[in-house]
Amino acid sequence: MDVLVIEDEELAVRKLTKLLQDVDNSIRIVGTAASVRSSVQWLQNNTAPDLILMDIELADGQSFEIFEQTPVESPVIFTTSYDEYALRAFKVNSIDYLLKPIKRHELEASLEKHRKLRNPAEAETGGKMAIDALVQQLRQQIQPAEYRKRFLVKHLSQWMPVEVSDIAYFYSEEGVSLFRTRGNQKFSVDYTLDELEAMLDPLQFFRANRQFIVDINCVQQIHPYFNNKLKLTLKPAPEEEVLVSRERATEFKKWMGK
């Protein structure tokens, strides 16, 4: 089997080459490339290999750019450090991924999958379509999300913008969604808490319970509470207790930096 390795770290190339040959001594490394540019040049000037192992982050950009600049006719196994849950959907058809550091048994499983799928018809039709569709989907997955930076709220007879960085927490009261600013002003918003949760940076805001989404900087104290729950002291102080459920307590403490 002829394999092209696209990876910008020399040590990683050596390790992967050795691992490939340990797994299958019939594998022949026919080329290596460390950048989008050199990868495109190699693919345009050489016969398509049986398989490409491709790192996502390269010296001059993301490897997805390769697909935009030249046809990729070979099955691809991405190597990446991205979260496995975000990438689980891509273990289908002629595309796969391996998390770094690459483990021998996982590489063996990917190569075996490639062998089973390897036939001209699949490579010509379904395989190519799978790569095009899944690369686009994967690219969207790992791009930094765009979170809300401000909300436009009504104040007296006027509309005014409020920066998200000025909001201490969002909460629900009698079916209405509201937020309180660090300066203790209260405003209503036309979104549910579920909708708001999707708009907010999860590094900055945490869904403490069904009624509260809190900003990390408004949490002043964390108290143990009955049945392994947590009770929060927020600033400014809300009108009711804010509890983190037992099920979310560990996740909350990790979010806070424990």
Side-chain angles (χ1 to χ4, degrees):
M1 184 195 312
D2 290 345
V3 175
L4 170 65
V5 175
I6 299 177
E7 165 65 64
D8 65 347
E9 295 182 10
E10 187 177 343
L11 179 59
V13 173
R14 292 202 300 268
K15 286 183 176 179
L16 184 54
T17 298
K18 184 178 185 306
L19 188 58
L20 282 164
Q21 292 172 342
D22 286 346
V23 167
D24 184 346
N25 58 18
S26 70
I27 287 176
R28 188 165 67 106
I29 307 301
V30 293
T32 62
S35 65
V36 172
R37 182 179 178 182
S38 61
S39 300
V40 170
Q41 290 175 343
W42 195 98
L43 290 167
Q44 290 176 342
N45 291 287
N46 293 274
T47 302
D50 297 313
L51 180 67
I52 300 173
L53 273 79
M54 182 183 294
D55 189 18
I56 288 180
E57 295 293 344
L58 299 175
D60 57 348
Q62 292 181 331
S63 59
F64 306 119
E65 297 170 36
I66 296 168
F67 295 83
E68 297 171 354
Q69 297 180 34
T70 192
V72 178
E73 299 174 356
S74 307
V76 175
I77 297 175
F78 284 115
T79 60
T80 176
S81 301
Y82 288 103
D83 188 288
E84 65 177 306
Y85 299 105
L87 300 175
R88 185 175 291 169
F90 303 100
K91 278 188 170 289
V92 296
N93 298 325
S94 61
I95 195 167
D96 205 348
Y97 77 93
L98 291 168
L99 285 177
K100 294 180 177 181
I102 296 170
K103 299 177 179 62
R104 177 175 177 139
H105 70 278
E106 293 175 347
L107 177 60
E108 289 174 337
S110 287
L111 293 175
E112 181 60 25
K113 173 184 173 181
H114 163 66
R115 291 187 187 95
K116 289 179 179 177
L117 290 171
R118 189 177 169 190
N119 65 73
E122 200 271 343
E124 190 75 20
T125 56
K128 182 63 167 65
M129 292 173 63
I131 288 178
D132 290 345
L134 290 170
V135 164
Q136 181 62 29
Q137 197 175 348
L138 179 56
R139 190 171 196 172
Q140 292 171 357
Q141 285 254 11
I142 70 169
Q143 295 304 317
E146 286 292 329
Y147 298 111
R148 286 293 290 262
K149 294 180 174 60
R150 66 189 60 84
F151 288 90
L152 192 65
V153 297
K154 196 163 187 179
H155 180 61
L156 301 177
S157 59
Q158 304 176 31
W159 292 91
M160 60 179 285
V162 177
E163 299 294 318
V164 169
S165 59
D166 290 331
I167 297 174
Y169 48 83
F170 296 82
Y171 62 105
S172 177
E173 188 176 89
E174 297 181 353
V176 177
S177 297
L178 306 104
F179 66 78
R180 196 176 293 270
T181 66
R182 301 186 194 285
N184 208 19
Q185 291 179 291
K186 182 170 73 171
F187 299 98
S188 64
V189 285
D190 293 327
Y191 301 101
T192 66
L193 289 193
D194 288 344
E195 290 171 332
L196 288 165
E197 187 178 8
M199 298 176 187
L200 302 169
D201 184 349
L203 296 178
Q204 196 68 28
F205 288 89
F206 187 90
R207 182 72 176 268
N209 54 45
R210 294 180 64 183
Q211 284 76 40
F212 276 84
I213 301 173
V214 301
D215 174 78
I216 197 166
N217 295 307
C218 85
V219 180
Q220 301 297 297
Q221 293 180 323
I222 305 169
H223 309 274
Y225 197 75
F226 176 73
N227 202 22
N228 294 320
K229 296 178 183 178
L230 299 173
K231 181 179 177 180
L232 307 183
T233 298
L234 308 181
K235 184 179 180 181
E239 296 166 2
E240 61 181 279
E241 287 186 335
V242 180
L243 301 178
V244 179
S245 69
R246 177 180 60 185
E247 292 75 19
R248 304 216 69 194
T250 299
E251 184 182 353
F252 176 80
K253 287 188 283 188
K254 287 181 180 177
W255 176 72
M256 286 295 298
K258 183 173 180 178

